[in-house]
Amino acid sequence: MITTGFANEDEKLHSSIPVSTEPLVAIISSTNDNTTYFASKKRNKDFHTLFRSVPEHEKLIDDYGCALQKDILVQGRLYISEHYICFNANIFGWVTNLTIEFADIESIEKKATAIFFSNAISILTRSSSKYLFASFFSRDQAYDQMVTFWKASHANASNMVRTTSRRRTISEVASSQPSKKDDRKLNNAVIVPQAKDRTECECSKNGQHFPTVVMDNTYYSTTIKNVYNLLYNSKFMTKFLRDVEKSTDILVGEWVKAERNCLYSRETSFVKYLNNALGPKSTKCYLKEEMHYLDLSNYVTQLTITQTPDVPAGGSFNVKTRTCISWSGQNQVRVLVTVLVEFTKSTWLKSTIEKASIDGQQTFYKKLDIELRKHLESQTTMMDKRIIAGGRRQRSVHKRQLKQQQSLTTNKLVDISTTKKAKKKTLVVVVSTLLCMVLMVLINAYIAFKITNIHTLLNYLNHKQEYTTTTTTANNNKYYPADNDSPKLKLDIQIMELERIIQKAEQDMAQVTQAVLQQKKQILDACM
């Protein structure tokens, strides 16, 4: 990673570490009785002052005067540590910084300049970047040290790759789920109602917002929880940095509970590429994120402190951004971001740094606003589709239910109609049966009356015959007019009439019985 630019006052003092006459500190290695000499504490401190991106525990081995081959030869010094090769140059205040990790080096070769001068070393990295360092006074010694530590680094390359891969995997998972323990605390309200139509953060009430506003937007049809999860608890920001900002080496730490000053904190780092015509082409960004207030039903306040040590005067300032997420109306969320460029050391580039930092923040949050709106709109579209699909399913279910209800109603009406008809027919049968019974009673009464008349006539005829016989005997067979034929004739006529009535009654009873049976059959068929 190369960075170039104007040096600040502090870097002018340490822009090039002179060859020290102080003795080296000897550290005896336990392997093969090899002795590794480290630089003194003062030189090691000056080394870390120049290269702030190098870890603090990294120890300087040695440094050499040389020149980096670019468009011109940039004269400076090359520094060799346990895991890094670094180069620094300061020509009339124009600073060039280069940091190469041994694990990223593909090959190291000795080279000659101008064909005849064997004073150069060529380094090729895995990303196909090639660096040529020339004008060495002790080229072979520098080469031997480089190769020794490079081989040692590649001996553990597989373990380093696995460790790095695991660390990145954990970091990516942490970006979507901070930690199982703290995730429950960060999401202390899984489903939270909106406290008020509009809410205001305490920093706004107390005038604690930073002076420069780089973002003040309202998002509709969403919630504080949704926006909070996108910005701080998902892969959305990692994807934004990688795809939109074109950043690399993105490492997002886990949210951990803070001891003081804030609720939770985490650390993030990435390499950001710059579009400056002059100056460095990229810079390492170190972010410390602090969660100061977290109430998803009210508002959220978060503070980010960004450091970019590789840019000119990078050690003299940091950028603070305060993000406040609050309710702006019913299902409306306001995101307010304010910025402050804080200087920790004096520098004559203060106004330039402040302007460039604020411009960079404004550009960053404009892009973030676009991507955030796209994501929220896609969520809304998916939700609308689900609602439409759900509405269609509900309408379909409702139609089926209506059809079932209509069918049940029709069946009930048919059953009621059938029941009424059956009741009506049953009533007809009952009435007909009663009429038949009444008719039978009347016929039987009439027959009984006729039989009584016949019985009376028979008694009359019998008494008359006895009387006639007695008279005849007494009068010696005396003749009387034959008027006895008249009662007998009447009796015969009544007997014949009675037989006819009985036959008629039998016929009527047969017809009535047949009619009753037909009605019964119809009722049974209707009930079936």
Side-chain angles (χ1 to χ4, degrees):
M1 176 177 19
I2 299 178
T3 61
T4 58
F6 291 107
N8 59 16
E9 297 173 0
D10 182 66
E11 287 176 338
K12 287 180 181 179
L13 298 175
H14 303 281
S15 60
S16 180
I17 302 176
V19 178
S20 177
T21 57
E22 298 178 7
L24 297 174
V25 180
I27 305 297
I28 307 299
S29 174
S30 61
T31 306
N32 298 329
D33 295 331
N34 292 330
T35 302
T36 301
Y37 292 91
F38 294 101
S40 65
K41 291 183 178 180
K42 182 179 182 302
R43 293 176 64 197
N44 189 67
K45 182 179 179 181
D46 293 338
F47 166 68
H48 283 286
T49 301
L50 286 175
F51 305 100
R52 297 182 182 276
S53 61
V54 176
E56 290 292 333
H57 59 78
E58 189 73 13
K59 294 181 179 180
L60 177 65
I61 304 298
D62 209 343
D63 60 280
Y64 300 90
C66 65
L68 175 63
Q69 178 70 57
K70 297 179 71 178
D71 297 333
I72 60 172
L73 283 174
V74 180
Q75 188 66 39
R77 296 197 70 79
L78 183 139
Y79 302 86
I80 301 174
S81 68
E82 295 173 290
H83 301 95
Y84 292 88
I85 295 174
C86 303
F87 177 82
N88 174 266
N90 185 358
I91 301 175
F92 303 111
W94 184 261
V95 177
T96 299
N97 272 353
L98 170 63
T99 303
I100 305 172
E101 192 173 355
F102 277 117
D104 294 333
I105 295 176
E106 187 70 26
S107 65
I108 301 176
E109 297 179 357
K110 294 180 179 180
K111 293 290 183 179
T113 57
I115 301 175
F116 304 104
F117 302 102
S118 300
N119 62 353
I121 298 175
S122 176
I123 297 176
L124 178 66
T125 65
R126 292 179 178 177
S127 60
S128 300
S129 298
K130 190 173 184 180
Y131 304 99
L132 181 65
F133 299 95
S135 303
F136 277 97
F137 290 104
S138 304
R139 194 272 305 269
D140 292 340
Q141 181 181 348
Y143 174 80
D144 291 340
Q145 285 184 341
M146 288 182 188
V147 171
T148 299
F149 287 99
W150 175 52
K151 288 182 178 179
S153 176
H154 275 259
N156 299 322
S158 59
N159 293 334
M160 292 174 66
V161 169
R162 284 196 295 269
T163 303
T164 304
S165 176
R166 182 174 178 271
R167 187 180 298 118
R168 290 184 179 180
T169 302
I170 292 172
S171 299
E172 288 180 358
V173 172
S175 66
S176 61
Q177 295 180 349
S179 69
K180 290 183 178 179
K181 182 177 180 180
D182 294 328
D183 180 59
R184 291 191 296 268
K185 296 178 180 179
L186 283 172
N187 295 280
N188 52 10
V190 178
I191 300 176
V192 290
Q194 184 171 341
K196 301 177 182 178
D197 285 345
R198 294 180 181 272
T199 57
E200 187 178 8
C201 55
E202 288 295 325
C203 44
S204 177
K205 296 177 182 178
N206 300 330
Q208 295 177 348
H209 285 156
F210 296 137
T212 305
V213 178
V214 295
M215 181 178 181
D216 188 3
N217 296 327
T218 301
Y219 301 93
Y220 300 91
S221 300
T222 187
T223 62
I224 289 179
K225 180 184 177 183
N226 192 21
V227 177
Y228 159 77
N229 283 333
L230 287 176
L231 295 179
Y232 306 113
N233 198 22
S234 70
K235 294 182 179 180
F236 172 78
M237 286 302 298
T238 302
K239 185 178 179 182
F240 171 76
L241 291 172
R242 183 183 65 245
D243 298 342
V244 179
E245 288 290 296
K246 306 301 180 185
S247 299
T248 58
D249 298 336
I250 303 170
L251 292 176
V252 181
E254 297 182 359
W255 287 104
V256 295
K257 189 173 182 179
E259 295 181 357
R260 57 182 181 179
N261 298 332
C262 62
L263 300 175
Y264 305 94
S265 65
R266 72 177 179 184
E267 294 184 355
T268 302
S269 64
F270 55 88
V271 176
K272 179 179 177 63
Y273 288 89
L274 308 175
N275 296 322
N276 298 333
L278 298 175
K281 299 300 180 184
S282 63
T283 180
K284 189 80 171 181
C285 298
Y286 298 93
L287 282 68
K288 183 178 180 182
E289 300 178 86
E290 299 177 349
M291 195 65 63
H292 283 222
Y293 188 86
L294 179 60
D295 184 355
L296 301 181
S297 65
N298 196 0
Y299 70 91
V300 175
T301 297
Q302 185 268 347
L303 177 67
T304 301
I305 303 173
T306 305
Q307 293 181 325
T308 52
D310 298 329
V311 301
S316 302
F317 73 96
N318 58 56
V319 179
K320 292 184 176 181
T321 55
R322 186 187 297 273
T323 303
C324 296
I325 308 172
S326 59
W327 293 109
S328 180
Q330 192 65 33
N331 295 326
Q332 300 176 18
V333 176
R334 180 192 183 193
V335 179
L336 174 64
V337 182
T338 56
V339 174
L340 172 67
V341 181
E342 184 179 63
F343 289 89
T344 57
K345 297 179 182 179
S346 61
T347 175
W348 57 280
L349 294 172
K350 182 175 181 180
S351 59
T352 304
I353 291 172
E354 191 169 10
K355 182 179 184 305
S357 299
I358 292 175
D359 290 344
Q361 291 292 317
Q362 288 176 339
T363 303
F364 177 86
Y365 282 100
K366 281 181 181 178
K367 294 179 181 178
L368 179 62
D369 174 59
I370 294 172
E371 295 302 316
L372 192 58
R373 290 187 185 278
K374 286 181 181 179
H375 191 87
L376 292 174
E377 287 176 2
S378 65
Q379 284 185 338
T380 304
T381 302
M382 292 177 62
M383 189 177 296
D384 290 340
K385 288 181 179 179
R386 290 175 183 173
I387 292 172
I388 292 172
R392 289 175 179 172
R393 287 194 295 270
Q394 289 180 354
R395 286 195 294 271
S396 177
V397 171
H398 185 62
K399 287 182 179 179
R400 288 198 298 270
Q401 291 177 348
L402 285 177
K403 287 183 179 179
Q404 291 176 356
Q405 290 178 355
Q406 291 176 356
S407 177
L408 290 173
T409 304
T410 303
N411 292 335
K412 287 181 179 179
L413 292 174
V414 170
D415 292 340
I416 292 171
S417 177
T418 304
T419 304
K420 287 182 178 180
K421 289 181 179 179
K423 287 182 178 180
K424 187 176 181 181
K425 289 183 179 181
T426 303
L427 182 61
V428 171
V429 171
V430 171
V431 173
S432 300
T433 304
L434 290 174
L435 290 176
C436 291
M437 292 177 67
V438 171
L439 182 61
M440 288 176 64
V441 170
L442 294 176
I443 291 172
N444 289 331
Y446 183 73
I447 291 172
F449 175 73
K450 289 294 185 181
I451 290 173
T452 303
N453 290 337
I454 292 171
H455 182 70
T456 303
L457 288 174
L458 286 174
N459 290 331
Y460 172 75
L461 291 175
N462 289 333
H463 287 294
K464 186 176 181 180
Q465 186 176 3
E466 291 176 357
Y467 176 75
T468 303
T469 302
T470 305
T471 306
T472 302
T473 303
N475 295 317
N476 294 319
N477 296 326
K478 187 178 180 179
Y479 178 75
Y480 292 93
D483 56 354
N484 56 348
D485 292 335
S486 179
K488 185 179 181 181
L489 180 59
K490 290 181 180 179
L491 179 62
D492 291 337
I493 292 172
Q494 286 182 358
I495 290 174
M496 291 176 62
E497 186 178 358
L498 180 61
E499 288 178 355
R500 184 177 57 81
I501 290 172
I502 291 173
Q503 290 178 357
K504 181 66 175 176
E506 288 177 356
Q507 292 178 358
D508 292 340
M509 288 299 298
Q511 290 178 358
V512 170
T513 302
Q514 187 176 2
V516 171
L517 291 175
Q518 288 179 355
Q519 291 292 334
K520 182 178 180 181
K521 184 178 179 181
Q522 289 179 0
I523 292 171
L524 292 175
D525 292 340
C527 295
M528 294 293 290

